[in-house]
Amino acid sequence: MKMKNYFIITLFIAGLLFTADLSAQNRSKSDEGDEELRTTPKLVVGIVVDQMRYDYLTRFYDHFGKDGFKRLVEQGFNCKNNHFNYAPTSTGPGHTSVYTGATPSVHGIIGNNWYDKEADLDVYCAGDDSYSSVGTTSDAGQMSPHRMTVTTVTDELRLHNQMRGKTIAIALKDRGAVLPGGHTANAAYWFHGADEGKWITSTYYMKQLPKWVMDFNTSGKAKSYKKAWNTLKDIKEYKESGTDDNAYEGLFEGETAPTFPHSTTSLLDKTKDFDLIKGTPYGNSLTTDFAIEALKQEGLGKDGITDFLAVSFSSTDYVGHKYGVNSKEVQDTYLRLDEDLARLFKALDKNVGEGEYTLFLSADHAAIQVPAYLRDQKIPAGYVDNASNSKKLSEFLNYTYGTEDIVKNYSNYQLFLDHEIIKNLDLKLADVQANIAQEFLSYAAVDRVYTADQMWNNEYTSGIPYILQNGYNQKRSGDILIVLKPGFISYSNTGSTHGSPQIYDTHTPLLFYGKGIKPGSTVKRTEIPDIAPTIAALLGISFPSGTSGKPIIAVLE
């Protein structure tokens, strides 16, 4: 009897152990399935560096510390052949495309500014006078994302989590914060320099600034960055850039040469001119300070609901425009940005937890070498003679059509025609477009010209026309699209610019890092609209409503 009871008890215990083991296995399989289904970081961080060429990573790499750019490259995933697949390559469209997974043909942000052919006026990509400024009495806060016609990945994350997660967007430039934040951001903040030096926002987001923002604005932090700019390292070590004193760089007010240190009376003694900070690397440092404070004060990444922090570093663009791609100033700006990134990553590790956040870093466009410098190196390059072209076009229009009024506007290398006048002259629109396009082909700096008729009636899959078509919005774009020769720009003889469909404007970095990201690299082509669907696929959320990009499989495998 005792033996029988012992046998029964043994069988019972064995059955319990078997059931427990099965349950554990099922839980393990369930967990594995959940991990395959989605990744749940506490925070997603999107970083856009304004005017960053891919080769800045490689040119300056040996000068970087181990905790900034190198951390992303060596521990994250590097897309080495990443490009914008549309033009114009400028700030507004760039930030929008990163976050919408779409091109201007879909999301509607066809430039920083553009001619609105329906309203017959020039508009700004983030401008909206139906809202008021918050944090300033100026009109610098009259902004909203209303001209962006689709959702962003930040919108989709908020929708997925029933608006319980937070989205905070930060940049020196208003458009660098408003557009990444999407339509549903809890807050977007940008820096109003002028005589105030404050972080501000719009009534689109809130009625008054949070106390922590007001405290930051009164802390004197912005004023502390109004100081002389000298090189971070010995300038003799900056062998990856050109000479310090040359004819290809601009000047701060009061300077006689574009050389270090930059410590003019204008830079230091104008106590109210806070916009000067934007044109030095200290603008990026101020942005980092504010982003870290937002991380702490908003409690980002502190619960089980994924938040989003969008940060854009704008000073790189201001410096690039003034000094050019090959300058000591650009090199120093990126070495200092590397330190700022390291500070930001350290704060993320401390406040969110290492391995608990997912991050990407890219750019809104790249930039051209200063054409005057290229020309001196015997490389084909130059500048548009706008006065001569304007005179030639005027003569052509008067001779051919009897009026110049057939052209209503010119913006972003696009000509807008007056369709009513064309109709009244009993002309076919496609014929007029083609005639004017043919005229532009005779101009010295012009490489090629396309018409709206071609954009409507053809489907391009590669090359310059493919890039132009992705930037062409049927409701908002013009009638004639002009492409300058490689190396040619419409700009001053000093400093770099951008905006073209040429490869020097399209090739930008794309780095992924953190939770759910497979370390590695690829030289396969990736495109800017691939970023948003990659993050959406990782999170297991809906793709933004206009998405044309595809998830980058190698990043997520």
Side-chain angles (χ1 to χ4, degrees), residues 308-528:
F308 206 115
L309 175 63
V311 182
S312 178
F313 291 102
S314 308
S315 287
T316 42
D317 185 66
Y318 292 107
V319 174
H321 276 294
K322 182 183 288 287
Y323 294 104
V325 164
N326 202 45
S327 64
K328 301 287 189 194
E329 284 79 5
V330 160
Q331 179 164 358
D332 191 69
T333 297
Y334 277 88
L335 301 196
R336 290 179 180 274
L337 176 59
D338 183 59
E339 292 195 338
D340 286 326
L341 288 174
R343 284 201 297 127
L344 178 59
F345 300 161
K346 183 178 180 180
L348 289 167
D349 291 342
K350 180 179 179 181
N351 290 275
V352 182
E354 191 171 355
E356 293 297 335
Y357 59 90
T358 303
L359 181 149
F360 68 81
L361 182 149
S362 191
D364 57 350
H365 52 76
I368 187 177
Q369 286 267 14
V370 179
Y373 168 75
L374 293 176
R375 195 167 50 196
D376 287 347
Q377 310 310 311
K378 301 180 181 178
I379 295 172
Y383 298 88
V384 179
D385 187 341
N386 288 313
S388 175
N389 288 351
S390 180
K391 181 181 178 182
K392 287 180 66 176
L393 179 61
S394 177
E395 291 173 352
F396 169 80
L397 293 173
N398 281 311
Y399 178 80
T400 308
Y401 302 109
T403 177
E404 297 175 43
D405 294 340
I406 203 167
V407 173
K408 291 188 75 174
N409 198 278
Y410 176 78
S411 68
N412 298 310
Y413 297 101
Q414 295 182 20
L415 219 62
F416 292 77
L417 304 182
D418 192 317
H419 293 195
E420 283 299 316
I421 289 179
I422 291 171
K423 184 178 179 181
N424 291 338
L425 291 173
D426 200 24
L427 299 170
K428 290 184 178 180
L429 178 61
D431 291 342
V432 175
Q433 290 174 351
N435 288 341
I436 297 176
Q438 190 67 43
E439 167 66 14
F440 266 104
L441 273 178
S442 68
Y443 297 177
V446 174
D447 186 51
R448 57 182 82 187
V449 188
Y450 292 86
T451 68
D453 186 62
Q454 289 174 302
M455 294 293 111
W456 278 61
N457 293 307
N458 297 291
E459 183 176 354
Y460 300 105
T461 57
S462 63
I464 296 294
Y466 163 75
I467 293 173
L468 291 179
Q469 192 165 53
N470 283 332
Y472 182 84
N473 186 282
Q474 289 186 340
K475 283 197 169 186
R476 295 181 175 178
S477 295
D479 293 276
I480 296 158
L481 291 70
I482 300 161
V483 180
L484 301 181
K485 291 178 180 178
F488 281 74
I489 58 174
S490 177
Y491 199 64
S492 68
N493 286 356
T494 58
S496 293
T497 191
H498 50 85
S500 81
Q502 307 293 354
I503 201 163
Y504 45 72
D505 281 341
T506 70
H507 191 193
T508 58
L510 176 55
L511 304 169
F512 292 91
Y513 170 85
K515 191 169 186 177
I517 302 301
K518 175 188 174 184
S521 65
T522 183
V523 293
K524 291 183 178 179
R525 182 181 172 95
T526 57
E527 297 180 335
I528 285 295

Side-chain angles (χ1 to χ4, degrees), residues 194-407:
D195 61 349
E196 296 185 57
K198 295 178 179 178
W199 292 90
I200 65 169
T201 190
S202 161
T203 53
Y204 179 86
Y205 305 99
M206 62 190 72
K207 293 182 179 179
Q208 65 180 29
L209 293 174
K211 183 178 183 301
W212 72 264
V213 177
M214 291 189 285
D215 289 344
F216 190 96
N217 284 338
T218 58
S219 69
K221 181 64 73 172
K223 187 177 180 180
S224 73
Y225 285 120
K226 290 196 66 180
K227 57 185 180 180
W229 174 18
N230 210 339
T231 53
L232 181 66
K233 298 183 178 182
D234 186 336
I235 197 169
K236 293 178 183 177
E237 296 182 34
Y238 290 13
K239 298 178 181 178
E240 296 76 18
S241 47
T243 58
D244 190 28
D245 191 1
N246 61 70
Y248 315 118
E249 300 177 7
L251 302 170
F252 276 112
E253 182 183 330
E255 286 186 325
T256 57
T259 56
F260 282 106
H262 297 289
S263 56
T264 68
T265 300
S266 170
L267 187 65
L268 299 177
D269 292 351
K270 281 189 175 180
T271 57
K272 292 186 176 182
D273 191 358
F274 286 95
D275 281 324
L276 287 167
I277 298 171
K278 298 177 183 179
T280 74
Y282 304 133
N284 290 334
S285 300
L286 180 62
T287 302
T288 304
D289 295 338
F290 191 73
I292 291 172
E293 193 66 13
L295 176 70
K296 296 174 183 177
Q297 297 295 335
E298 294 289 345
L300 300 178
K302 289 297 186 182
D303 55 29
I305 301 172
T306 304
D307 297 320
F308 206 115
L309 175 63
V311 182
S312 178
F313 291 102
S314 308
S315 287
T316 42
D317 185 66
Y318 292 107
V319 174
H321 276 294
K322 182 183 288 287
Y323 294 104
V325 164
N326 202 45
S327 64
K328 301 287 189 194
E329 284 79 5
V330 160
Q331 179 164 358
D332 191 69
T333 297
Y334 277 88
L335 301 196
R336 290 179 180 274
L337 176 59
D338 183 59
E339 292 195 338
D340 286 326
L341 288 174
R343 284 201 297 127
L344 178 59
F345 300 161
K346 183 178 180 180
L348 289 167
D349 291 342
K350 180 179 179 181
N351 290 275
V352 182
E354 191 171 355
E356 293 297 335
Y357 59 90
T358 303
L359 181 149
F360 68 81
L361 182 149
S362 191
D364 57 350
H365 52 76
I368 187 177
Q369 286 267 14
V370 179
Y373 168 75
L374 293 176
R375 195 167 50 196
D376 287 347
Q377 310 310 311
K378 301 180 181 178
I379 295 172
Y383 298 88
V384 179
D385 187 341
N386 288 313
S388 175
N389 288 351
S390 180
K391 181 181 178 182
K392 287 180 66 176
L393 179 61
S394 177
E395 291 173 352
F396 169 80
L397 293 173
N398 281 311
Y399 178 80
T400 308
Y401 302 109
T403 177
E404 297 175 43
D405 294 340
I406 203 167
V407 173

Side-chain angles (χ1 to χ4, degrees), residues 45-49 91-100 109 125-126 144-145 148 150-158 167-171 173-190 205 308-314 360 364 532 544:
V45 182
I47 297 175
V48 175
V49 182
T91 300
H95 282 79
T96 308
S97 295
V98 166
Y99 281 87
T100 62
I109 304 299
C125 61
S144 87
M148 182 169 57
V150 298
T151 63
T152 59
V153 67
T154 47
D155 287 328
E156 295 299 341
L157 180 59
R158 290 265 287 154
T167 292
I168 307 292
I170 294 165
K173 296 181 180 181
D174 46 49
R175 57 187 179 273
V178 170
L179 299 169
H183 302 277
T184 62
N186 298 83
Y189 299 107
W190 52 95
Y205 305 99
F308 206 115
L309 175 63
V311 182
S312 178
F313 291 102
S314 308
F360 68 81
D364 57 350

